[in-house]
Amino acid sequence: MAGAALTALGLPSGDGDVSTAAEAAGRPARSRREGGEFRAMWIATVTNRDFPSRPGLTAAEQRAELVGWLDLAVRRRMTAVMLQVRPSADALWPSPYEPWAQCLTGVQGRDPGWDPLGTAVNEAHARGLELHAWCNPYRVAGHADPRRLAPDHPVRRHPEWALVHDGRMLYNPGLPEVRRHVQDAMLDAVRRYDIDALHWDDYFYPYPVAGQAVDDDAAFARYGTGFADRAAWRRNNTDLLVSEMAARIRAVKPEVAFGISPFGIWRHASTDPAGSATSGGVQTYDDLYADSRRWIRERWIDYAVPQLYWNIGFRSADYAELVRWWDGAVRGTGVRLYIGEALYKVGDPAQPAAWRDPRELVRHVRLARSYENVGGHVYFAAREAAKDPLGALTAVLDASP
């Protein structure tokens, strides 16, 4: 049962009083914060990572779990939650563009009997929390079989819209009709709900896999004329997705913020003098075709949450160096900067020894506070915020003003 699952994570059953929860947070109900430190957690729904705890719960059980996560956010002194409402080209609201999310009922397209996004907005605001609607722009499925998608899924109707890479399906970023569709799907949530922000994660073009190429030859042949190379064309596709989405949000609801959580390394200084003193691994500009630095400089986004999922002193990607770089990247732009934190790594024996120190995240927060442009932190993810491995999140809160 949902109540048992919540209790096991240290969460309330969802039956608590809304006004009491808001009072416990020390904030008036329904207050968009002005100033102060931003603190949030991601609530992931893809593959039922955080919510719902499993597919097929009743509407009442799902609602109880969702409210339990919001109550947890209040107890952890969060100011916002990033709820994943479009995990795999499906939706946690009655969307006219894409089917109901599979994570809710176990069957993509099946009506769960309630409106999770609408409930989340109302219940978050009643607790003084911001609700950021987290969407993945291009992911379609963690498999390559379109027959497993809902019968009315856009990819069933437009199979030419999809690519398969590393055994997974995604929308083809090189097709203008795809770009318009995914924008329309996400803008529907902006229009219909009183969300505080539309939030994207780091998946644009897929992460590179050795020996596998993204099969976009046909799209490049049709639309790539005039670009220096395919990489420049792909970056332009991503830039268009971001800039057009920004313009459309501002035309419809300018009060809704637009934020993106990119991979933490734009480029290495060895590749580009403007890059960070990092080495090896993925560079989002070169490997994901996502020019996150440009999005900031052009002010297409209102906030950035770079995923700085490394410890202080990590040789190839030092957290301290990356906070310094991102602080410089947003300086003078008016774009807000929050740091994405790897709460999920704390206490994991497979991670470097620093993550077995319960004070590592405290050091992150204190270091970040020394930079004037860092406005707060976002923690991945809700499950770990509930379990609080090694008491690391509690230590962060104890060290907070």
Side-chain angles (χ1 to χ4, degrees):
M1 295 293 289
L6 290 163
T7 302
L9 285 172
L11 293 167
S13 66
D15 298 325
D17 180 72
V18 170
S19 60
T20 300
E23 290 169 4
R27 300 186 297 274
R30 189 61 184 97
S31 173
R32 292 181 179 158
R33 293 176 59 84
E34 298 292 338
E37 189 170 88
F38 185 87
R39 186 183 299 115
M41 67 182 184
W42 282 289
I43 303 176
T45 60
V46 65
T47 68
N48 296 92
R49 188 200 189 274
D50 298 322
F51 167 77
S53 59
R54 60 179 174 83
L57 298 174
T58 68
E61 289 170 333
Q62 290 179 18
R63 184 187 184 283
E65 285 195 352
L66 179 59
V67 170
W69 286 121
L70 299 176
D71 286 339
L72 172 77
V74 170
R75 294 204 309 279
R76 295 290 192 249
R77 290 159 51 193
M78 303 289 174
T79 64
V81 294
M82 276 73 166
L83 175 64
Q84 192 175 35
V85 299
R86 187 177 175 270
S88 297
D90 51 15
L92 268 74
W93 75 95
S95 168
Y97 295 96
E98 290 172 325
W100 279 107
Q102 182 175 354
C103 64
L104 296 171
T105 65
V107 178
Q108 191 177 62
R110 180 177 292 173
D111 189 336
W114 70 303
D115 181 352
L117 176 54
T119 300
V121 169
N122 292 336
E123 296 290 345
H125 289 170
R127 289 160 174 75
L129 296 166
E130 293 182 10
L131 194 289
H132 294 223
W134 166 18
C135 296
N136 182 287
Y138 287 133
R139 181 170 53 220
V140 172
H143 57 77
D145 185 358
R147 295 170 299 179
R148 293 168 58 184
L149 302 174
D152 62 345
H153 194 285
V155 168
R156 297 285 292 271
R157 291 182 279 112
H158 302 282
E160 72 280 6
W161 286 8
L163 295 175
V164 173
H165 183 76
D166 193 30
R168 300 174 175 87
M169 272 189 294
L170 67 150
Y171 282 126
N172 186 340
L175 299 179
E177 58 269 34
V178 162
R179 189 167 66 245
R180 184 72 183 192
H181 167 77
V182 299
Q183 290 172 1
D184 286 345
M186 293 181 283
L187 198 64
D188 182 63
V190 175
R191 284 194 176 102
R192 294 171 59 188
Y193 297 93
D194 189 21
I195 62 174
D196 296 279
L198 181 69
H199 177 78
W200 290 358
D201 53 34
D202 56 318
Y203 293 96
F204 295 96
Y205 278 85
Y207 278 78
V209 177
Q212 297 189 33
V214 176
D215 183 12
D216 57 358
D217 290 354
F220 181 57
R222 185 174 181 183
Y223 298 109
T225 303
F227 290 91
D229 52 31
R230 192 175 305 212
W233 171 71
R234 287 175 175 173
R235 269 189 297 277
N236 185 66
N237 292 333
T238 309
D239 285 347
L240 287 172
L241 179 75
V242 174
S243 61
E244 290 172 358
M245 193 76 230
R248 295 184 72 185
I249 292 171
R250 289 162 189 169
V252 171
K253 273 190 184 177
E255 70 274 18
V256 172
F258 180 30
I260 299 181
S261 178
F263 181 75
I265 297 171
W266 173 69
R267 300 188 93 184
H268 304 311
S270 59
T271 305
D272 186 323
S276 53
T278 49
S279 62
V282 171
Q283 301 173 88
T284 186
Y285 179 95
D286 302 274
D287 299 310
L288 305 180
Y289 310 100
D291 190 354
S292 48
R293 181 169 175 261
R294 184 181 184 190
W295 308 339
I296 291 168
R297 292 163 73 90
E298 299 284 355
R299 303 187 186 187
W300 292 336
I301 59 176
D302 298 296
Y303 70 80
V305 190
Q307 297 174 26
L308 304 193
Y309 290 173
W310 302 280
N311 55 277
I312 294 173
F314 189 70
R315 180 172 297 178
S316 61
D318 186 346
Y319 178 92
E321 159 61 12
L322 286 163
V323 170
R324 182 202 66 78
W325 187 89
W326 283 97
D327 176 80
V330 303
R331 187 174 302 128
T333 66
V335 175
R336 300 189 296 277
L337 175 63
Y338 313 127
I339 305 300
E341 299 286 353
L343 183 59
Y344 73 97
K345 287 187 174 182
V346 174
D348 184 349
Q351 298 296 333
W355 292 105
R356 295 188 288 280
D357 181 347
R359 303 290 293 177
E360 176 66 19
L361 287 182
V362 172
R363 287 189 283 273
H364 287 202
V365 171
R366 286 179 171 166
L367 173 68
R369 285 183 186 141
S370 69
Y371 289 92
E372 64 178 350
N373 296 303
V374 178
H377 303 261
V378 185
Y379 295 89
F380 192 86
R383 181 194 305 171
E384 289 75 22
K387 293 180 178 178
D388 193 14
L390 304 184
L393 187 55
T394 295
V396 166
L397 298 177
D398 288 346
S400 297

